[in-house]
Amino acid sequence: MSSKSSVIPVTSPALPPFEEFVEEIRDIWDSHVLTHQGPKYHLLEEAIRDYLSVANAPLFANGHLALQVAFWSLGLTSGEVITTPYTFSSTTQAIVGCGLTPVFCDIDPRTLCIDASKIEELITPKTKAIVGVHVYGTPCDVKAIEDIAKRHGLKVIYDAAHAFGETFDGVGIGNFGDISMFSMHATKVFNTVEGGCLTFNDDELYSVATAIRQFGCYGTDETQYVGTNAKLTELHAAMGLCNLRHIDESIARRKAAYRVYQAAFDAIPGIQTVYYPESLKPNYAYYPVLFDEEVFGKSRDQIADELEQRGIYARKYFYPLTSTFAVYGPMFEIQATPIAQKVSEQVLCLPLFADLSPDDAATISKIVLGNV
Ligand SMILES: *Cc1c(COP(=O)(O)O)cnc(C)c1O
């Protein structure tokens, strides 16, 4: 293990140089503009719109609220939503929190995203939308989903929390579906400490989403929408402006660690790693490993324990499935999703962040493979 620390977390937030941040917030002390879409907000929104190659990119206090605003902006407040249980709790909680009923679709065993070939059988007269998650930055089958949505008149929302900065088929990944949500939380590839972003091509949605962000009104006496408070502050925007200057370097450093892991695990029987299709420019957000105990000889839980004994904190991400949350039990019927169930019992996300050294990635690989 490297000498600088004896504990390795699963992730560690990227921080800009301290002096750079202090310099960036100096004008805030001059202007006294702290929030309400001030100059920092506008600079960051424009920079993110460019970086993601999208037409619109309003920013929010966090990704979760942004996702809820996405549903409200599309008028989705009741009915069924076909979605994946293999995600962070936020996706399903946002759906349920908006009064929508999740209908759980199984996942594709390779991409680990919603299995588009199983969506149509779940459509009922109550279905309003499809909510896919680009899990670990691996894109959903966006073409098949678009085709289904068009034929059945459904909205498509992507939880792209893991996919910041990626392009797929040469297009910014935030261009698919009606709206995509990116998280800018501390643990994500790009962070504003807390923050989120919605991307979409329909310019008319901009005024709706930004009004809902601010109590449902445009700053006039009249309130047009049922809204919330999800504004991104100037201090958070300043953090984003700094981090965005370093994001390419940060992704390159993640890639170096990813390569060490890939070299170690690629050809090992009983191990499946993150899937990046040929036409994806990935951001190396996560390094999930699926352990097939019968072939590999050890279970996910055993590996997690062995790592933890050495101060390395891998994470069972995503386990358990959101569809198993006890709180939902009496609320709606829950569909069986056997592939998602199996994957959730096999998966372990290994540490991956910009400051993880390739040497540490090599040590972690050896421990996982029992070569120490
Ligand atoms: C992080 C995350 C969210 C929520 O984003 P926040 O910015 O933390 O609110 C939603 N979905 C997924 C898949 C995430 O990983």
Side-chain angles (χ1 to χ4, degrees), residues 62-65 67 87-88 90-91 133 159 161-162 181-185 187-188 194-196 286 317-318:
N62 57 63
H64 182 82
L65 275 170
L67 192 54
T87 183
F88 181 52
S90 171
T91 321
V133 180
D159 178 335
H162 296 175
M181 178 280 284
F182 294 86
S183 166
M184 310 186 303
H185 179 257
T187 56
K188 303 302 204 280
E194 291 270 0
Y286 298 91
Y317 191 64
F318 303 106

